Amino acid sequence: MKLKICHMYNDVLNLYGDRGNVLCMQKRLAWRGIDCEVVRLPVGEFMSLADCDIVFIGGGQDFEQEVLLSDLHRGKDSEIIAAVNDGVSFLTICGGYQMMGNYYETHDGVKCDFIGAVDLYTVGAKTRMIGNYKYKCSDSVGGSTVVGFENHSGKTYLGAGVEPLGKVLAGFGNNGEDGTEGVHFKNLIGTYSHGPLLPKNPELCDFILLTALERRYGIGELEKLNDSAEIAAHDAMCGRIQ
Ligand code: GLN
């Protein structure tokens, strides 16, 4: 058994060690004896996503998002939309998450037309939303409590009927107004959680791996791992974030 992960825009969307999420997915597969190939897809390169199982896109500043716009609209946009609709698993973080939506209007008035793979949009605020935060995932994503770190100016608003990833327990989440965090659409997850999201939230990591394994191989359950260190780290942070 083998999964193929595409790490898109690894060269420009790479804030706060977001790439650690790819290492985490790889490791948790390896511990279960499942092979994993990671293919990096930087600006200027093109590939079909048709045979990918998981696509990962990290976060970046407004500047990087503007820089990659023309590259995005040179074919990656339609590949992403087709893959999302085909049920490929996606994990997209902050700037990468915003990119899945219709547009992002920065706080200084630059409008980035994104790809509309999911019906959502983002508007930049003058005051950034920064800090450790936590949220409770919807039952459709396993219902776990996620601890994370957010740093964004963009306030994201979901279209009618679009489901959030979860509900904010402490912090800002999508916009600091409606209590929602992230998005869950088909097998795509978008979130504002930067950095080591998956290592300290192993349940969410396994949820993503399982959706990919189910789609490719019809596997309905993952072998349990000894997550005592991960759970201790998670619970320590969870207690600290109020
Ligand atoms: N540029 C976006 C914002 O500030 C995304 C930031 C990020 O990825 N950290 O809203």
Side-chain angles (χ1 to χ4, degrees):
M1 248 184 323
K2 181 175 173 178
L3 289 185
K4 183 170 174 178
I5 300 179
C6 172
H7 185 177
M8 191 180 284
Y9 290 133
N10 58 298
D11 51 344
V12 277
L13 297 181
N14 56 6
L15 275 178
Y16 304 119
D18 283 342
R19 62 185 276 276
N21 292 311
V22 174
L23 298 176
C24 181
M25 289 191 279
Q26 238 177 324
K27 197 71 194 171
R28 293 183 72 80
L29 286 169
W31 281 332
R32 294 169 166 122
I34 302 170
D35 286 338
C36 174
E37 178 190 0
V38 177
V39 183
R40 296 182 178 84
L41 187 58
V43 168
E45 286 183 25
F46 182 81
M47 69 179 243
S48 163
L49 299 179
D51 65 342
C52 289
D53 300 294
I54 300 174
V55 177
F56 174 77
I57 312 177
Q61 302 167 68
D62 293 2
F63 173 74
E64 280 95 25
Q65 287 176 291
E66 289 162 35
V67 162
L68 58 75
L69 263 188
S70 58
D71 182 81
L72 183 65
H73 290 300
R74 226 174 276 136
K76 287 194 178 82
D77 48 1
S78 47
E79 279 297 324
I80 293 171
I81 292 167
V84 169
N85 290 326
D86 201 28
V88 172
S89 301
F90 276 71
L91 176 61
T92 61
I93 313 280
C94 200
Y97 161 39
Q98 295 171 352
M99 233 167 66
M100 299 299 104
N102 300 318
Y103 66 86
Y104 173 37
E105 196 166 333
T106 67
H107 71 94
D108 50 1
V110 178
K111 182 146 183 228
C112 301
D113 282 320
F114 285 146
I115 67 174
V118 188
D119 182 18
L120 57 89
Y121 67 94
T122 304
V123 181
K126 279 211 181 78
T127 313
R128 299 189 69 80
M129 289 156 274
I130 306 175
N132 292 318
Y133 75 132
K134 61 182 177 184
Y135 50 93
K136 169 102 169 61
C137 286
S138 318
D139 290 342
S140 62
V141 195
S144 63
T145 296
V146 168
V147 290
F149 169 75
E150 59 182 328
N151 181 357
H152 51 112
S153 143
K155 292 184 165 193
T156 296
Y157 300 92
L158 307 179
V162 177
E163 295 291 329
L165 173 60
K167 286 202 176 114
V168 176
L169 299 172
F172 299 96
N174 276 337
N175 49 51
E177 295 162 12
D178 62 15
T180 65
E181 156 59 18
V183 75
H184 180 220
F185 176 72
K186 295 184 186 274
N187 285 329
L188 179 145
I189 287 175
T191 175
Y192 273 110
S193 304
H194 265 300
L197 163 67
L198 298 183
K200 62 188 174 193
N201 295 287
E203 276 187 58
L204 185 61
C205 186
D206 283 355
F207 175 84
I208 296 166
L209 297 178
L210 190 57
T211 57
L213 287 164
E214 245 167 12
R215 176 175 171 273
R216 178 71 61 193
Y217 298 107
I219 296 203
E221 213 177 320
L222 275 178
E223 186 192 320
K224 287 256 174 292
L225 298 175
N226 177 357
D227 285 331
S228 48
E230 290 85 346
I231 290 168
H234 171 279
D235 291 353
M237 274 316 289
C238 209
R240 248 194 259 166
I241 306 168
Q242 296 303 334

